[in-house]
Amino acid sequence: MPENIYLLLSFSISFLIVFFAIPKIITVSNHKKLFDVPNHRSASQEHVIPNLGGIAIFSGIYISTLISLEGFDINIIVGVLLSSVILFLMGLKDDTMGLSAGKKITGQLFIAIYLITVCNIRFTNLHGILGLYEINYSLSFLISLTTIIGIINAFNLIDGIDGLAAGIGTLISSAYGFLFLYFGQLEYAILSFSITGALVAFFFFNVFGKTNKIFMGDTGSLTLGGLFAISTIWFNEMIPTQGLSNLEWSLPAVSLAIMIVPVVDSIRIISIRLSQGRSPFSPDMNHIHHELIKITGNHLHASIIMVISNLGLLFITFGLIHMLGNTVMFLVLLAIGFSAAYIPVLINKTNQRKIERAKIAVLKETSPMHLIKSKKELVFSDGTDMEQDTQPSGQKQSTFNKTQSR
């Protein structure tokens, strides 16, 4: 069967499962009152919204991948699917009954260690980043552990407004899918396109749903974060069987460009919280998407800006990688990413200063002292003093000058 048929099959099955499952999940959620209760940080402030869209996403990815990989050696992804089940169950527990940050991290540590030690999903070569190429097991373990837990939480953190997690997730899975296909890694490509199909279907309900709106919840974001962490390691460890083999030495910079939005946002938000003496898991409104909403006033517009920015940096990377090299491109991406993240903050600070200056001006205009002066200094439109019959001519001129210069 042609490769394109496998990819179309994986995308279509996943899309259809999610598309038809979500209305059923919404019905059950409404009946069982499984909602995301609105608060000051919620995507919806007016309505209670079901937050179990991750059930449909997980089902679509899992079933589609198993069907599409019929006839392939699925041992390569058995460990991945098992880890996804654990993340799915953790997210389901959090969405329905709540789960502490400590227990989440403990579960993620267990999954990361399992993937590294049992499934051997880990970095073995940094392709020149910081002058490092092949690395020993200890450093490999540390970097892989940090990457897996970091990406899981990074994707979980950006799931804050309508369309953002689905939009960024679609970009990530599509990028990895096409690159895996280009380099002859069909099994990985099939999994990636299964993720894409699930997220495209979910996006319509999450963004455009009225009576059938739904969130993915931690059930979805944790599962997707785990899959994207694994895809990132696979991509960096890939030995191309076709395509441009020299791109192998550029893999870290390319994977950073693919993951740049969740990576930059998570590093930025955790740094802010720690600098304020708070837990890195304490909620706030300092995310990049929160700053963009203050400017756009619209969730979808903010999400589109972030997705387009991510896509733009990916194209920039492909254009410059062979000129700048892996390490320089990696550092340039981080510099651009953090600089771009500060732009909406700067705009909001500037707008806030303008508002404050306007308020001060209004207060000055309406202060009691000003009102007293105004009564004494009222002038006609032609500039003559209303109190001209009771004031000497010298006083009238002085009053006129003061009024004009105020």
Side-chain angles (χ1 to χ4, degrees):
M1 187 184 296
E3 293 179 348
N4 293 340
I5 299 299
Y6 284 108
L7 301 181
L8 180 61
L9 182 67
S10 63
F11 177 93
S12 301
I13 293 174
S14 185
F15 178 93
L16 291 172
I17 289 172
V18 174
F19 188 82
F20 287 107
I22 283 181
K24 304 297 182 184
I25 292 171
I26 292 173
T27 300
V28 173
S29 296
N30 288 332
H31 180 69
K32 299 292 184 179
K33 301 188 185 305
L34 301 172
F35 301 123
D36 178 67
V37 180
N39 57 44
H40 73 287
R41 299 179 67 250
S42 298
S44 173
Q45 297 292 327
E46 301 177 356
H47 308 288
V48 288
I49 306 295
N51 64 340
L52 295 177
I55 295 176
I57 292 171
F58 173 81
S59 301
I61 295 170
Y62 203 98
I63 296 171
S64 171
T65 300
L66 290 177
I67 292 175
S68 302
L69 285 177
E70 178 67 27
F72 288 85
D73 179 12
I74 65 170
N75 290 328
I76 196 171
I77 64 165
V78 167
V80 174
L81 295 178
L82 179 58
S83 65
S84 297
V85 170
I86 299 172
L87 285 169
F88 167 79
L89 293 175
M90 285 174 53
L92 186 61
K93 172 72 163 54
D94 191 33
D95 289 333
T96 54
M97 293 181 285
L99 192 65
S100 68
K103 290 181 178 178
K104 279 186 187 178
I105 289 296
T106 301
Q108 291 168 19
L109 275 169
F110 170 79
I111 290 166
I113 292 171
Y114 166 76
L115 290 170
I116 295 167
T117 58
V118 178
C119 303
N120 201 34
I121 297 176
R122 61 185 180 87
F123 294 103
T124 63
N125 194 317
L126 297 185
H127 306 286
I129 296 294
L130 301 178
L132 298 173
Y133 290 89
E134 290 188 10
I135 54 178
N136 60 44
Y137 189 86
S138 298
L139 185 56
S140 169
F141 183 92
L142 180 61
I143 294 174
S144 303
L145 186 75
T146 303
T147 300
I148 293 170
I149 294 176
I151 291 179
I152 290 173
N153 285 286
F155 196 79
N156 182 243
L157 285 170
I158 67 164
D159 183 27
I161 61 175
D162 296 341
L164 181 56
I168 292 293
T170 299
L171 173 60
I172 293 170
S173 59
S174 298
Y176 277 136
F178 282 115
L179 286 168
F180 285 140
L181 177 64
Y182 183 70
F183 290 118
Q185 307 292 328
L186 186 56
E187 294 90 347
Y188 300 158
I190 287 172
L191 175 59
S192 295
F193 278 98
S194 293
I195 298 171
T196 303
L199 288 176
V200 170
F202 170 81
F203 182 88
F204 288 110
F205 291 97
N206 178 234
V207 175
F208 303 110
K210 300 298 182 183
T211 59
N212 56 359
K213 187 180 184 66
I214 195 169
F215 299 148
M216 69 169 61
D218 279 12
T219 312
S221 62
L222 290 178
T223 302
L224 291 167
L227 290 171
F228 293 148
I230 292 166
S231 296
T232 299
I233 295 176
W234 274 346
F235 183 66
N236 280 270
E237 290 298 302
M238 182 173 58
I239 300 175
T241 60
Q242 60 190 47
L244 297 174
S245 60
N246 61 344
L247 188 61
E248 178 186 356
W249 305 106
S250 308
L251 299 181
V254 174
S255 57
L256 175 62
I258 293 172
M259 299 293 305
I260 190 70
V261 164
V263 167
V264 166
D265 184 61
S266 62
I267 294 174
R268 177 182 168 275
I269 203 70
I270 289 172
S271 299
I272 291 173
R273 291 170 183 174
L274 291 176
S275 68
Q276 296 173 348
R278 297 188 291 121
S279 164
F281 302 104
S282 59
D284 56 34
M285 299 284 283
N286 292 318
H287 287 277
I288 300 171
H289 51 263
H290 291 139
E291 299 291 343
L292 283 171
I293 287 176
K294 293 177 187 176
I295 299 170
T296 65
N298 184 286
H299 284 212
L300 181 58
H301 292 169
S303 296
I304 290 172
I305 289 171
M306 294 185 74
V307 172
I308 291 175
S309 299
N310 200 150
L311 184 62
L313 284 176
L314 183 56
F315 281 126
I316 289 172
T317 301
F318 280 122
L320 298 179
I321 187 69
H322 295 298
M323 289 187 288
L324 299 181
N326 201 17
T327 300
V328 174
M329 190 70 240
F330 195 91
L331 296 174
V332 166
L333 278 170
L334 288 175
I336 294 175
F338 284 110
S339 299
Y342 186 69
I343 292 174
V345 177
L346 183 62
I347 292 172
N348 284 322
K349 284 183 177 179
T350 302
N351 290 339
Q352 186 61 36
R353 283 196 291 267
K354 289 180 180 178
I355 292 171
E356 289 173 358
R357 285 197 293 267
K359 286 181 179 178
I360 292 171
V362 170
L363 287 173
K364 285 182 178 179
E365 290 294 322
T366 57
S367 64
M369 182 62 69
H370 177 75
L371 291 175
I372 292 171
K373 288 182 180 180
S374 297
K375 288 181 181 178
K376 292 180 179 179
E377 299 172 0
L378 289 174
V379 295
F380 290 112
S381 59
D382 63 358
T384 58
D385 199 319
M386 290 180 65
E387 300 182 52
Q388 59 183 347
D389 293 335
T390 60
Q391 295 184 15
S393 58
Q395 273 185 299
K396 285 189 279 186
Q397 182 63 34
S398 172
T399 302
F400 172 71
N401 289 339
K402 265 204 303 189
T403 305
Q404 289 293 89
S405 63
R406 195 181 316 134

